[in-house]
Amino acid sequence: MKKQLETLISQAVTVLKAQEILPTDLNPTVHIERTRDTAHGDFATNIALMLAKPAKTNPRQLAEQIIAALPINEAISKVEIAGAGFINFFMNSNAQYQVIADIQIAGENFGKSQIGAGKKVQVEFVSANPTGPLHVGHGRGAAYGSVVGNLLTATGFEVHREYYVNDAGRQMDILATSVWLRYLEACGETFTFPSNAYRGEYVRDIAQKLVESHGKNYSHSTATVFADLPLDEPEGGNKDDYIDALILRAKALLNDGYRVVFDAGLNDILSDIKEDLAEFGTTYNQWFSERSLMDDGSIERSLTVLKSNNYLYQKDGATWFKSSDLGDEKDRVVIRDNGQYTYFASDIAYHWNKLERGFDVLIDIWGADHHGYIARVRAALTALGADQTKLNVLLVQFANLWRGTEKVSMSTRSGEFVTLRELRDEVGRDAARFFYVMRRSEQHMDFDLELAKSKSNENPVFYVQYAHARVCSVFRQLTEKGFTQDVALGMTNLAELTAEHETALLTTLARYPEVIERAATQYEPHLIINYLRELATDFHTYYNAHQFLVESDTVRNARLNLITAIRQVLVNGLTLLGISTPEVM
RNA sequence: GCGUUUGUAGCUCAACUGGAUAGAGCACCAGCCUUCUAAGCUGGGGGUCGCAGGUUCGAGUCCUGCCAAGCGCACCA
């Protein structure tokens, strides 16, 4: 309907151009919006206000001319000029019932569209280092990313969901070394655990499994392991130098065994992450290995291109990328003075690889702490001769975790964090997903565990699910009372739906496709939540005000068709969010 | 200091991207279960949209400057 009005206005504008009332070089974007107040009709446009100045006339006069040029359409019952020059449209009351039939025919496809036109979109999200279990901070990215993916699929994009696995690099070496040291402890060695190593309990578990599978094959004495190392930070040294020395020592003493220890840690944690996300309702098309970029020469190849484009130089023994020439604050190291690639080097290759795979749009969903990273990735793509405008980086602000009035502090390294799995166990998958996408992603969010945990009416997810369960309950009652639903009879008697609550619901239902389109194009899943809460409110209000299972066959079936449509939209919306739709609560 | 995100009701957040009288949920107060599930509904109080300018028919929304908070500013990822 909204689209139709846009077309009509555009046609009117074309007519006025032909009459030279409007300048011919004008190409306004027609904006139709739903009115907030029913006194203003069903839809309104500000087109006359926008064009008054270029047309050198006053808005109300122009509005009259636009209305005069408007093609006749039977769905419109009245057009008014209001306020400063708004054009208000009142729709024919018969037209509003069409949405019930639309929903019935489209079913689970109601709300879907083809605005994406099959464009290939890659959505990369979570991509947490496999150095430990996912925590609640990752949960927001997981929920947000998967719903954005669902929305893009629903609007006709071809979506590829991907997790970038940082299975190479220094952090993973620190993990491998941490596992090895815990393994040595399990073998009976005693020493002070490095301050910069991973201290989480899961590291001990991995080490224990290593003992069970490989015995003491990789054990060395404390004296050998710690001989001639620099001091750790608590002893007055540098924690980074100390851990780097331990990594080298581990590699030297273990030789081929290092990879066994390394992979033990990687595989254990990665499979935990995969299981965790799957249980959270977040799935991927691909788990992309950083190590593969190293192995197949992609990193080297991208650096060669950067070099031949004159974007690399040597300084202080390291290789730098001249990102400051392309909008970044400063230049960035790509090869460290010890010959190791930086994380950034593999990320350059990774993003180039994405574009080479032919995606029309890249969406990276990052934690807000990585925002300083955007400029250098864009710079790198430009320097490679690639189109950086295809890259969209969506930042997700961190959720502050609260237990009632107490803020929960978190640090991966110290091992003090609430895991995503713990959160799911406590509040359930539905509530967790709902809470995570309830707010705009850029909004700093407070996540109160106590509130999300509560199985009470304070929890908004139940409110929406309950609306669905209530519709289901009505149909159970229908059977118990010996009625059966006659859809066709209901459809021919939709004009029985004249109560205010009913017309309000018809309008709300008709808005659903617009909400989905907007949520998808703006990457704003919270709009779905807001909408579903509104729809649920409208339904609960209706439920309390009117009896559905009345004696009149025509009224009863008309109402049943209405609530069937409501149930369908609730299902469609909650499914997009990855939230279940229980029939009984 | 520089960059970036945020600042709206007591609290947590919306506001159709510049539109008409800024809205919800908690919390608080007063009501509604013999009726399809009360995880529900009805009514009420609550606001200098951080502050100050500017842009225009019109600003919570755009521009500038302040103030405050979060996050960055590594040869970590």
Side-chain angles (χ1 to χ4, degrees), chain A residues 84-362:
Chain A
F86 291 99
I87 301 174
N88 292 339
F89 297 93
F90 293 77
M91 308 312 289
N92 198 315
S93 62
N94 289 329
Q96 68 187 338
Y97 297 117
Q98 183 58 36
V99 68
I100 305 273
D102 290 347
I103 295 170
Q104 201 238 333
I105 292 163
E108 64 178 21
N109 291 320
F110 181 72
K112 293 184 185 172
S113 65
Q114 286 303 320
I115 54 172
K119 273 205 258 181
K120 291 179 68 182
V121 184
Q122 193 234 29
V123 186
E124 184 220 321
F125 60 111
V126 185
S127 298
N129 285 350
T131 53
L134 297 177
H135 57 71
V136 290
H138 300 123
R140 191 173 186 186
Y144 179 69
S146 70
V147 178
V148 166
N150 292 346
L151 275 167
L152 292 173
T153 303
T155 47
F157 290 89
E158 190 183 318
V159 179
H160 184 86
R161 298 141 190 267
E162 192 159 307
Y163 187 117
Y164 182 52
V165 183
N166 297 117
D167 53 6
R170 181 165 174 267
Q171 292 303 325
M172 285 306 295
D173 279 325
I174 295 176
L175 176 78
T177 302
S178 305
V179 169
W180 185 51
L181 293 174
R182 289 302 190 201
Y183 167 87
L184 294 178
E185 287 179 343
C187 291
E189 301 294 327
T190 53
F191 48 85
T192 307
F193 201 70
S195 56
N196 208 22
Y198 287 99
R199 313 182 139 265
E201 202 55 38
Y202 60 92
V203 179
R204 280 203 174 88
D205 296 341
I206 296 165
Q208 188 55 44
K209 286 181 202 163
L210 210 50
V211 172
E212 286 158 18
S213 55
H214 292 83
K216 295 194 176 185
N217 289 355
Y218 305 118
S219 186
H220 290 79
S221 72
T222 302
T224 318
V225 173
F226 292 91
D228 303 321
L229 289 179
L231 294 176
D232 197 2
E233 194 137 300
E235 282 79 51
N238 177 294
K239 64 180 182 192
D240 285 309
D241 292 345
Y242 182 67
I243 198 77
D244 282 340
L246 263 171
I247 291 168
L248 288 176
R249 181 61 48 85
K251 288 178 176 173
L253 289 174
L254 289 171
N255 294 312
D256 293 346
Y258 183 77
R259 178 47 69 86
V260 174
V261 175
F262 187 102
D263 284 347
L266 169 65
N267 293 334
D268 194 276
I269 291 170
L270 193 56
S271 61
D272 173 75
I273 287 173
K274 286 182 178 177
E275 184 188 281
D276 200 8
L277 287 172
E279 288 173 7
F280 192 47
T282 298
T283 56
Y284 289 91
N285 300 93
Q286 192 173 349
W287 297 73
F288 192 100
S289 159
E290 179 187 6
R291 201 195 285 172
S292 74
L293 292 169
M294 219 161 274
D295 295 345
D296 70 6
S298 293
I299 297 176
E300 208 182 329
R301 198 159 49 88
S302 53
L303 292 185
T304 304
V305 174
L306 287 181
K307 188 173 186 180
S308 62
N309 291 350
N310 281 317
Y311 280 104
L312 294 187
Y313 65 92
Q314 303 289 319
K315 195 182 87 180
D316 302 334
T319 304
W320 297 69
F321 167 51
K322 271 201 277 189
S323 49
S324 63
D325 279 8
L326 297 165
D328 197 7
E329 293 175 355
K330 50 178 135 175
D331 295 344
R332 309 291 176 177
V333 170
V334 286
I335 305 177
R336 300 204 279 159
D337 57 6
N338 65 6
Q340 297 245 305
Y341 293 125
T342 59
Y343 170 84
F344 180 45
S346 39
D347 226 12
I348 292 170
Y350 180 45
H351 280 86
W352 198 27
N353 172 289
K354 289 186 186 190
L355 286 176
E356 285 186 324
R357 277 188 270 162
F359 293 112
D360 300 304
V361 180
L362 302 181

Side-chain angles (χ1 to χ4, degrees), chain A residues 26-45:
Chain A
L26 209 61
N27 269 313
T29 50
V30 179
H31 193 62
I32 304 280
E33 59 179 39
R34 287 187 179 271
T35 56
R36 217 182 314 224
D37 188 340
T38 50
H40 298 143
D42 299 299
F43 296 92
T45 180

